[in-house]
Amino acid sequence: MTKPRINTMGELSVAIGVSRPTLSRFFQDPNRVKAATVKRIEAGLERVEYVPNFFATRLNRKSTGIIGVIIPYLNDLFFTKLLEQIEKAAMTAGYTVISQCSHSDPAIEARAARTFMSMSVDGALVAPLGNQSDTVVHERLRTRLPFVLVDSRPKTMPNVEYVGTDHDQSTGLIIDYLCRVGAPPVFLAMPRVNFNAVQHENAYCARMQSLGFEPKVIGTESVNDQGHYEAHGEAVLDGYFSRGVFTDRSILCANDRVGIGALRAAARHGLVPGRSRRGGLRIAGHDDYPLCPFTTPALTTVAQDFEAIGNAAVSRLVEIINGAVTDPTNPQVQLFDGVLKLRESA
Amino acid sequence: MTKPRINTMGELSVAIGVSRPTLSRFFQDPNRVKAATVKRIEAGLERVEYVPNFFATRLNRKSTGIIGVIIPYLNDLFFTKLLEQIEKAAMTAGYTVISQCSHSDPAIEARAARTFMSMSVDGALVAPLGNQSDTVVHERLRTRLPFVLVDSRPKTMPNVEYVGTDHDQSTGLIIDYLCRVGAPPVFLAMPRVNFNAVQHENAYCARMQSLGFEPKVIGTESVNDQGHYEAHGEAVLDGYFSRGVFTDRSILCANDRVGIGALRAAARHGLVPGRSRRGGLRIAGHDDYPLCPFTTPALTTVAQDFEAIGNAAVSRLVEIINGAVTDPTNPQVQLFDGVLKLRESA
DNA sequence: ACGTCAGTTTTACACGTGTAAAAGGGAGGA
DNA sequence: TCCTCCCTTTTACACGTGTAAAACTGACGT
């Protein structure tokens, strides 16, 4: 019933009467072997069970065919969607993806980087942890192998290839909309755990000033557990609403998860944000978190183009792997536009 | 500035004057080397940059120290939380986790399984895709290496070790509550993509009958894109609510993501589910999806014990890796109780 | 001075495959 | 029949480390 198990290519070669190097070539690319031989090998593989040893194949190749990916959190659909897209793009490009999660811990992030170096991955795609990331680790990664940063870029490493969203554009888009339809927005920030947080904040302030409005940022003071954005948004706004503050303002949230918390705070205080209510409370987010269409009211936001970012990151990395020259003093930066998603909350 | 890079243990051994086998032992466990020598090695490592080659170390070890984990979806916080817990537990136990996602595709799931076999992982933890999973692949995995199923267990493989939630208990818990406080619930199912879906449904029917009520299951008919549970829940209930049906009933959703869609459908029809409204609409879910506290109204649900499940799965797998005997005719099954989370929606 | 012993080095081989160069084999054309 | 050419096989070596057994080293106690 169960096929006989064969462990090495050598045994396999005697079992089906083809030389071992021919098998080696077959498993790397069947086109490098005569069609008739391919048939014979495939027929042989029907009769026995054999999988080439992953480590042995990688040990002595010039290219491992592996792309390493590091994401900061696993409990955030933003990053899992990004990872999903990256995995699909990499698979299409013929690469195997090994993904690691930093779990909010710089030590784990550093360990993952070391693992990638020790695996001689062909390249690495990293969504950094944020302020606490060990810059030295990233720097070592950059100098040793093809390396592209995704989603957020530390100011401390301006010499790295980068793919992400144009936050000036995307934040500007939603601010313009909010200002056009009603009062200029307050910015509900998130704890400054990563560079996007600061970048968002800065983009908001710049745009407000260029429009001639006074920027107003709230929510930076709260020291929250990492990653609990919803709780943060709710707690901050609950505080203001309790004092009757901002109950009739536009509130732009740093991201949708903060926005979901904001919606919750509004509901708790009997407030219903929405663009239909003139002069009333309006709440908007950023990212187009997958759950936005299902909140009550549905959250108006700016969509990041996960798909484009994932694809661009992979294809740029593959370019570099294939020998594209990168200039550390002038790295390629690809920024994608956000798209306004008008729903109910603003 | 940058330390000289050393690629092999051999070079390292001449660089710091310690024999290569001693270095080998050092990198596996410093305790196997004299303290004075450890100091000398560590001092040497300060001066040069060296990481042992991942593949070479794994190639010839009796144990690779790797646990392979397969989860079905990445865009579902349920599975990412589970994976997070598994990774932490495995790390504590001294194992490296390689995780792969099936992306709703049995072919990818099978490929991941093959990868694990070719990596000679010490053991595998699998949350199966569901009905479409290739049972043959799982069976081959089971016979070749320590193997524990998590979250959902195909009826077609009753001979596998399993860790999950006791759905009879958890579903019973919420049904009892709903019946105690109001009318017996209708069950809003999800498309039957995995075994838990069916299991939930069966648990619901059994409990209802034992309580003397007529079970009523809706939502199985809809053929939805996989993984879009919220949209499914919303679409199904929107259909009923449009016809004025079930607007005053208790609705038990197969999981919280379906429940979030259900809440959305209610809001769209101006309905506010909640336990405070006597005889009115009530909506409950299952799992304790992280966003439940932040929906409007907050979703009442039954919490699965992610942490316990993740820990138990890892520690059981490690037991088997360390030689615990498993009896295929009587595999160990660990079921954890759900905990009622009373919030606002029911 | 001798034996003992623990820690270390040496030696030798193994892991399973990649790869390059040389040698072999069969089909086709002259 | 012979030559040519394309595949394939053979041969030989390489990848970087694990591991077991034997030989070695130095400190210690008698």
Side-chain angles (χ1 to χ4, degrees), chain B residues 19-22 25 33-34 37 59-60:
Chain B
S19 79
R20 192 182 64 72
T22 302
R25 292 213 307 283
V33 166
K34 210 207 305 193
T37 313
L59 181 58
N60 195 23

Side-chain angles (χ1 to χ4, degrees), chain B residues 4 9 13 60 102 137 213 222 226 263 306 319 326:
Chain B
M9 238 181 218
S13 76
N60 195 23
S102 310
V137 173
F213 297 120
S222 153
Q226 291 174 14
L263 290 181
F306 297 97
E319 274 180 29
T326 62

Side-chain angles (χ1 to χ4, degrees), chain A:
Chain A
M1 202 63 220
T2 74
K3 307 186 212 171
R5 187 173 309 157
I6 284 192
N7 290 317
T8 79
M9 239 182 220
E11 297 171 24
L12 183 65
S13 76
V14 308
I16 63 184
V18 180
S19 80
R20 191 182 65 72
T22 302
L23 286 176
S24 175
R25 292 211 309 283
F26 168 81
F27 282 111
Q28 291 177 57
D29 180 7
N31 293 325
R32 292 174 56 192
V33 166
K34 209 204 313 194
T37 314
V38 169
K39 283 227 157 188
R40 213 168 67 225
I41 295 176
E42 284 173 343
L45 287 176
E46 291 292 318
R47 295 181 294 105
V48 300
E49 182 186 333
Y50 166 76
V51 275
N53 181 291
F54 188 84
F55 302 126
T57 59
R58 264 58 179 187
L59 180 57
N60 195 23
R61 267 189 197 152
K62 58 269 308 260
S63 156
T64 55
I66 299 176
I67 288 180
V69 181
I70 302 181
I71 61 173
Y73 319 107
L74 217 38
N75 59 349
D76 189 316
L77 295 177
F78 176 89
F79 290 109
T80 57
K81 278 199 74 166
L82 188 60
L83 176 58
E84 190 177 1
Q85 191 59 40
I86 289 174
E87 288 195 352
K88 286 179 177 170
M91 199 181 306
T92 310
Y95 286 88
T96 299
V97 168
I98 302 282
S99 62
Q100 303 263 287
C101 174
S102 311
H103 294 298
S104 312
D105 185 343
I108 300 182
E109 189 183 37
R111 203 170 59 90
R114 252 180 289 125
T115 302
F116 287 162
M117 298 192 312
S118 89
M119 295 200 316
S120 304
V121 297
D122 286 345
L125 241 37
V126 177
L129 206 46
N131 292 332
Q132 337 148 6
S133 281
D134 188 344
T135 313
V136 176
V137 173
H138 288 171
E139 187 59 20
R140 198 157 54 185
L141 217 47
R142 184 183 69 76
T143 58
R144 287 193 55 155
L145 42 85
F147 181 48
V148 174
L149 227 45
V150 192
D151 172 60
S152 122
R153 179 175 48 158
K155 282 227 179 68
T156 49
M157 349 184 31
N159 49 359
V160 186
E161 306 265 320
Y162 174 68
V163 178
T165 291
D166 182 347
H167 287 104
D168 290 333
Q169 182 271 344
S170 65
T171 304
L173 206 59
I174 185 89
I175 291 176
D176 288 353
Y177 164 73
L178 291 172
C179 291
R180 195 164 64 238
V181 182
V186 173
F187 188 77
L188 173 48
M190 54 187 183
R192 290 178 176 136
V193 290
N194 66 29
F195 304 92
N196 278 345
V198 182
Q199 204 172 350
H200 267 159
E201 224 180 289
N202 294 344
Y204 162 80
C205 293
R207 190 63 163 211
M208 288 289 278
Q209 277 160 352
S210 87
L211 290 175
F213 297 120
E214 178 80 13
K216 170 76 180 170
V217 176
I218 62 175
T220 57
E221 68 282 0
S222 153
V223 180
N224 202 289
D225 289 3
Q226 291 172 13
H228 294 78
Y229 295 136
E230 295 89 357
H232 169 74
E234 178 177 7
V236 172
L237 269 196
D238 187 59
Y240 284 101
F241 288 162
S242 297
R243 290 174 279 143
V245 184
F246 297 143
T247 55
D248 57 352
R249 286 292 292 270
S250 295
I251 298 172
L252 175 58
C253 302
N255 66 36
D256 289 337
R257 292 183 57 195
V258 174
I260 288 171
L263 290 180
R264 177 66 203 167
R268 187 180 292 280
H269 288 269
L271 302 167
V272 181
R275 66 165 172 277
S276 49
R277 342 188 101 207
R278 302 197 172 207
L281 179 65
R282 296 183 306 154
I283 293 177
H286 189 285
D287 289 358
D288 200 23
Y289 205 67
L291 283 169
C292 286
F294 301 101
T295 59
T296 307
L299 191 61
T300 289
T301 188
V302 195
Q304 291 202 52
D305 195 341
F306 298 98
E307 204 175 313
I309 294 175
N311 290 340
V314 170
S315 67
R316 178 56 183 162
L317 186 66
V318 170
E319 273 178 29
I320 303 177
I321 291 172
N322 290 334
V325 290
T326 62
D327 177 6
T329 65
N330 185 28
Q332 179 177 313
V333 172
Q334 290 185 67
L335 300 181
F336 289 90
D337 280 358
V339 175
L340 206 55
K341 294 280 179 182
L342 289 187
R343 290 196 259 260
E344 300 165 347
S345 70

Side-chain angles (χ1 to χ4, degrees), chain B residues 127-138:
Chain B
L129 206 47
N131 292 334
Q132 338 148 4
S133 281
D134 187 345
T135 313
V136 176
V137 173
H138 288 172

Side-chain angles (χ1 to χ4, degrees), chain B residues 138-158:
Chain B
H138 288 172
E139 186 60 21
R140 198 157 55 184
L141 217 47
R142 184 184 69 77
T143 56
R144 287 194 55 154
L145 42 85
F147 182 48
V148 174
L149 226 45
V150 192
D151 172 62
S152 122
R153 179 175 48 159
K155 282 227 177 70
T156 49
M157 352 185 27

